[in-house]
Amino acid sequence: MSPQEAYSQLLDKFKEISIISSCGAVLGWDERTYMPRGGAKFRAEQLGYLAGLMHSKVTDSLIGSLIDQVQQSDMLKDSNSIESANVREIKYYYDKQTKLPQKLVEDLTRETSLAQGVWEVARSKNDFGSFLPSLEKVIDLTIQKAEALGYEGEPYNALLDEYEPGTTVAEVEKVFEELRIDLVELLKKIKNAPNQPDESIIERAYDVELQRIFGESVAAAIGYDFKYGRLDVTTHPFCTGIGPGDTRITTRYNPNRLNDSLFGIMHEAGHGLYEMGLEKEKYYGSPMGEATSLGIHESQSRMWENQVGRSLAFWKYFYPQAQRIFKGTLDDVTVEQFYGAINTVKPSYIRVEADEATYNLHILLRFELERAIVKKELKPADIPGEWNSRFEKYFGIKVDKDTNGCLQDVHWSAGLMGYFPTYTLGNLYSAQFFNKAKEDIPNLSDQFASGDFMTLRKWLAENIHVHGQRYRAVDLGKKVTGESLSHKPLIAYMTKKFGDIYGF
Ligand code: CO
């Protein structure tokens, strides 16, 4: 077999795996949107079966020998070529998957599918005790997974690498620590500042159906194309790229708070734009057709949510529409007052509803707890106590119930430990990317003020989306911005923005 034939067979195999994975994505989307609760057990069986099937396909020794054949040829002599990127990432995936016993993969998939249903009920009843047995099982399996994958330093490295390939705990810890120091200072300035916005503006009555209509129109304006996507309601908002031409987002509505669904929809639409911007028609089923890391994914969602959606320029265009749609609700409010209200910085319990500034403290808390859990220094049963005491230390408020504390996020029930740091990485990358975009497109905020978001969308597609997994996150960041990952651009952006709003 020629190296070209081996390469194309390898891509065929990988495409087959991607198709199986996409079937799991449809089932996962349905599980979190429309599936009746009674279907949970069978759905877990379906997902467990697919995960096992995928695992057996990817660990087939034929894949290993195809990789060898291509690597031994001179096909990959240009290490920056598309072929090199595809083979590098397929091999990375293959090497990892072959370390995981099939039974562990199936057990994890089944248990996490079941645990998500248990978590949902426990969260709604504020009953950590009923979730604990499932959580213990999932954590035990997750630790087994880290051990099977292997790691340098601490086991958390193996888990982080699943979501942010090539990034280590030590790197993350360094930049997070620098961020924490400046963030605490910034929060102090905000707290003591003379101009405190009136948050009650966004806590008026906002009809849920009108929120949906407005949210959909905002998503469409930034380029989320409903021909290739849809918006549904869920407990924990997410975006799922099912395949070429099908990228779905979800949200949840609060009739007495505008921010949650509005910025939630912009956030998920930002993820959606990355999925839609990948060259799936050309590269679907190969690493070139997939997002490079969750941190980069999150940089896209956070940019649309924050740098765009929470900017004054954006509201110069959208505010008159909001006033019209929410008939009468905002008649007495100026656009500047509204802009202040949506940007209120205040310690709060729920991460996904947090303002831009306190958001990262939520992540730092989870990052510390997860590392301790995976090292077995923190027992699952002790999570609520540890969560609550650290939360009070960081945020200065007491957690009133676990639904507002350790039960709020879906991640641990889904076995997603090592995932949280990617949110703050996304915030850091988003500030760096946005600086570069503003440099390349000097009148960007004028464009926003006139309702034009397509130049930014195109810039993101050309600079980030089309590359798929050609570059790892850290390298892509450097390639686009010329700079290494740093906390400084995010802090500078927030200091300027909140300084203007709060008057310091
Ligand atoms: Co996100």
Side-chain angles (χ1 to χ4, degrees):
M1 192 188 316
S2 75
Q4 277 75 16
E5 281 166 346
Y7 177 74
S8 91
Q9 247 195 59
L10 188 61
L11 289 192
D12 287 347
K13 291 269 166 206
F14 203 75
K15 185 167 179 181
E16 192 186 345
I17 293 157
S18 301
I19 289 172
I20 300 171
S21 166
S22 74
C23 297
V26 179
L27 292 178
W29 170 82
D30 174 69
E31 181 178 36
R32 295 198 270 164
T33 49
Y34 295 106
M35 187 188 77
R37 198 159 278 158
K41 217 172 145 200
F42 181 61
R43 181 55 45 88
E45 215 175 293
Q46 291 175 304
L47 288 167
Y49 171 77
L50 284 181
L53 179 64
M54 229 171 95
H55 186 258
S56 71
K57 298 264 181 202
V58 77
T59 54
D60 182 348
S61 60
L62 176 61
I63 296 217
S65 76
L66 291 170
I67 293 171
D68 286 345
Q69 283 179 62
V70 179
Q71 281 191 320
Q72 281 155 17
S73 74
D74 61 359
M75 239 187 114
L76 306 180
K77 58 183 184 295
D78 173 7
S79 63
N80 286 320
S81 69
I82 287 170
E83 291 78 9
S84 291
N86 275 335
V87 174
R88 179 191 71 221
E89 294 304 328
I90 291 175
K91 180 170 166 35
Y92 199 70
Y93 187 58
Y94 170 78
D95 286 346
K96 276 191 175 190
Q97 291 297 314
T98 47
K99 288 180 191 164
L100 297 175
Q102 178 148 339
K103 182 169 182 321
L104 177 60
V105 172
E106 288 174 4
D107 287 353
L108 244 175
T109 308
R110 199 182 47 249
E111 290 303 335
T112 54
S113 173
L114 288 171
Q116 285 177 67
V118 177
W119 161 77
E120 211 170 307
V121 176
R123 177 181 171 274
S124 70
K125 292 187 179 155
N126 186 38
D127 181 7
F128 180 80
S130 68
F131 176 49
L132 182 60
S134 302
L135 181 63
E136 282 174 332
K137 258 188 227 159
V138 172
I139 287 175
D140 178 52
L141 291 167
T142 305
I143 293 172
Q144 285 183 41
K145 179 175 143 188
E147 294 301 332
L149 288 169
Y151 50 84
E152 277 176 38
E154 60 184 87
Y156 196 76
N157 266 314
L159 302 177
L160 176 64
D161 197 78
E162 290 282 276
Y163 311 108
E164 206 60 23
T167 301
T168 65
V169 174
E171 288 168 309
V172 169
E173 190 180 22
K174 181 177 169 288
V175 67
F176 279 19
E177 228 10 76
E178 290 165 341
L179 177 67
R180 180 205 303 274
I181 293 165
D182 287 358
L183 202 52
V184 169
E185 274 312 300
L186 176 65
L187 289 171
K188 256 189 230 150
K189 278 189 200 156
I190 292 173
K191 200 176 167 196
N192 300 319
N195 310 335
Q196 297 290 327
D198 175 9
E199 195 189 11
S200 72
I201 292 166
I202 57 157
E203 289 172 341
R204 296 177 176 180
Y206 292 94
D207 181 86
V208 164
E209 178 57 12
L210 299 178
Q211 287 193 44
R212 183 189 65 77
I213 293 168
F214 187 54
E216 282 193 357
S217 79
V218 167
I222 64 172
Y224 180 84
D225 191 337
F226 282 87
K227 268 207 303 292
Y228 307 104
R230 52 178 295 131
L231 173 67
D232 295 274
V233 176
T234 186
T235 306
H236 198 99
F238 64 96
C239 166
T240 181
I242 285 168
D246 189 350
T247 299
R248 305 179 190 191
I249 59 175
T250 62
T251 195
R252 63 181 182 214
Y253 298 98
N254 180 342
N256 297 107
R257 212 178 129 84
L258 183 61
N259 274 19
D260 306 353
S261 77
L262 179 61
F263 295 111
I265 288 170
M266 287 194 79
H267 179 98
E268 301 308 336
H271 282 303
L273 291 179
Y274 188 7
E275 290 294 320
M276 288 170 171
L278 293 164
E279 297 205 275
K280 290 189 186 176
E281 296 299 335
K282 205 159 144 193
Y283 295 125
Y284 178 75
S286 74
M288 277 297 293
E290 284 179 30
T292 192
S293 80
L294 290 188
I296 298 297
H297 227 306
E298 193 70 6
S299 75
Q300 304 304 290
S301 57
R302 299 298 282 184
M303 188 186 296
W304 287 107
E305 176 191 354
N306 292 330
Q307 276 93 346
V308 181
R310 290 185 216 255
S311 72
L312 185 57
F314 179 87
W315 287 103
K316 280 189 179 149
Y317 179 74
F318 272 109
Y319 191 59
Q321 293 188 30
Q323 282 182 311
R324 259 199 314 277
I325 288 176
F326 300 107
K327 307 167 199 95
T329 310
L330 293 165
D331 284 358
D332 59 330
V333 178
T334 65
V335 64
E336 285 80 13
Q337 287 168 326
F338 181 80
Y339 170 66
I342 58 167
N343 281 298
T344 305
V345 175
K346 202 175 79 183
S348 61
Y349 296 125
I350 305 295
R351 174 185 61 86
V352 295
E353 292 159 12
D355 59 81
E356 279 178 85
T358 58
Y359 184 91
N360 295 295
L361 286 183
H362 287 271
I363 301 305
L364 299 179
L365 170 84
R366 288 156 177 77
F367 177 54
E368 291 170 10
L369 290 177
E370 286 192 336
R371 284 173 75 187
I373 293 166
V374 175
K375 277 189 209 155
K376 298 189 185 171
E377 290 168 5
L378 175 60
K379 285 199 208 67
D382 297 332
I383 289 174
E386 195 57 32
W387 180 295
N388 296 351
S389 76
R390 284 186 202 226
F391 190 88
E392 198 178 344
K393 206 169 92 203
Y394 296 165
F395 292 81
I397 49 174
K398 241 187 163 60
V399 177
D400 55 348
K401 50 183 180 183
D402 291 331
T403 298
N404 282 336
C406 65
L407 278 179
Q408 68 181 271
D409 289 308
V410 68
H411 301 63
W412 292 345
S413 69
L416 299 174
M417 286 210 165
Y419 190 116
F420 281 119
T422 68
Y423 291 130
T424 286
L425 289 172
N427 286 331
L428 298 169
Y429 283 125
S430 79
Q432 294 186 266
F433 288 146
F434 196 65
N435 276 350
K436 182 66 181 152
K438 278 194 299 193
E439 203 181 300
D440 290 354
I441 316 165
N443 64 340
L444 197 55
S445 68
D446 295 339
Q447 294 187 11
F448 293 172
S450 66
D452 178 5
F453 306 98
M454 287 308 104
T455 318
L456 178 62
R457 199 214 151 163
K458 192 162 164 267
W459 186 92
L460 293 170
E462 285 170 2
N463 285 282
I464 294 161
H465 306 171
V466 294
H467 295 307
Q469 294 186 349
R470 189 158 187 177
Y471 309 101
R472 288 273 171 91
V474 170
D475 302 327
L476 181 67
K478 268 193 206 135
K479 182 181 148 50
V480 175
T481 67
E483 287 164 12
S484 306
L485 182 67
S486 158
H487 71 294
K488 285 188 183 141
L490 181 63
I491 288 289
Y493 153 75
M494 289 199 289
T495 305
K496 165 88 179 78
K497 173 174 181 174
F498 293 114
D500 287 347
I501 295 173
Y502 280 80
F504 60 78

